Amino acid sequence: MTSHTTPGRPTAPAGAARRRLIRELLLVAGLFAVYKAGRMLSTGRTEEAHHNAVRVWDAERALHLPGEGAVQRLLLHSDTVVHAANTYYAAVHFPATVLFLVWLYLRRPGHYLWTRRVLAVLTGAALALHLS
């Protein structure tokens, strides 16, 4: 027998692929944990959040940016619509992002790394903005 593999033992490419997958899962889980921990830092700081919201609103007005008031007036009048939007975010937005990343990893690995990096950078920037 000329094979360099031992029966029952994964070949080098399969072993390398498995290690790469485990490394990716640990990296993504670690990034998610950092994000969740960062979000927890702002818990209970409602007064500061309201003060910052007023500053953001003032900056939007000074820059003549469009406001969210019209959209919010359409949605906030109904508890059912608010509940549906929150449910969509929790049940569709996050799982769809995860499924998309899995699909990219499996089907378009060249695009996966770029997408994961962009998502990590943008999420980190959003967290930094949220905390500031």
Side-chain angles (χ1 to χ4, degrees), residues 17-73:
R18 187 173 295 127
R19 284 190 300 277
R20 200 168 49 250
L21 176 61
I22 290 170
R23 187 177 62 238
E24 274 305 310
L25 291 172
L26 290 173
L27 176 64
V28 170
L31 289 171
F32 183 72
V34 168
Y35 175 78
K36 292 300 273 183
R39 292 288 300 223
M40 294 302 293
L41 290 174
S42 65
T43 300
R45 297 168 58 186
T46 307
E47 187 175 323
E48 184 179 351
H50 283 263
H51 175 70
N52 290 338
V54 169
R55 290 178 37 211
V56 168
W57 192 84
D58 289 342
E60 288 175 346
R61 299 294 65 83
L63 295 170
H64 304 289
L65 296 174
E68 299 174 21
V71 174
Q72 289 183 1
R73 278 190 293 280

Side-chain angles (χ1 to χ4, degrees), residues 47-125:
E47 187 175 323
E48 184 179 351
H50 283 263
H51 175 70
N52 290 338
V54 169
R55 290 178 37 211
V56 168
W57 192 84
D58 289 342
E60 288 175 346
R61 299 294 65 83
L63 295 170
H64 304 289
L65 296 174
E68 299 174 21
V71 174
Q72 289 183 1
R73 278 190 293 280
L74 286 172
L75 301 176
L76 293 179
H77 73 281
S78 168
D79 287 340
T80 303
V81 173
V82 171
H83 181 70
N86 288 338
T87 301
Y88 166 82
Y89 182 76
V92 175
H93 174 75
F94 182 72
T97 302
V98 171
L99 287 173
F100 179 66
L101 286 173
V102 168
W103 180 81
L104 280 176
Y105 183 84
L106 296 173
R107 299 293 186 154
R108 303 283 191 265
H111 298 296
Y112 168 79
L113 283 177
W114 182 87
T115 303
R116 191 235 316 134
R117 288 176 183 148
V118 168
L119 185 61
V121 167
L122 291 175
T123 302

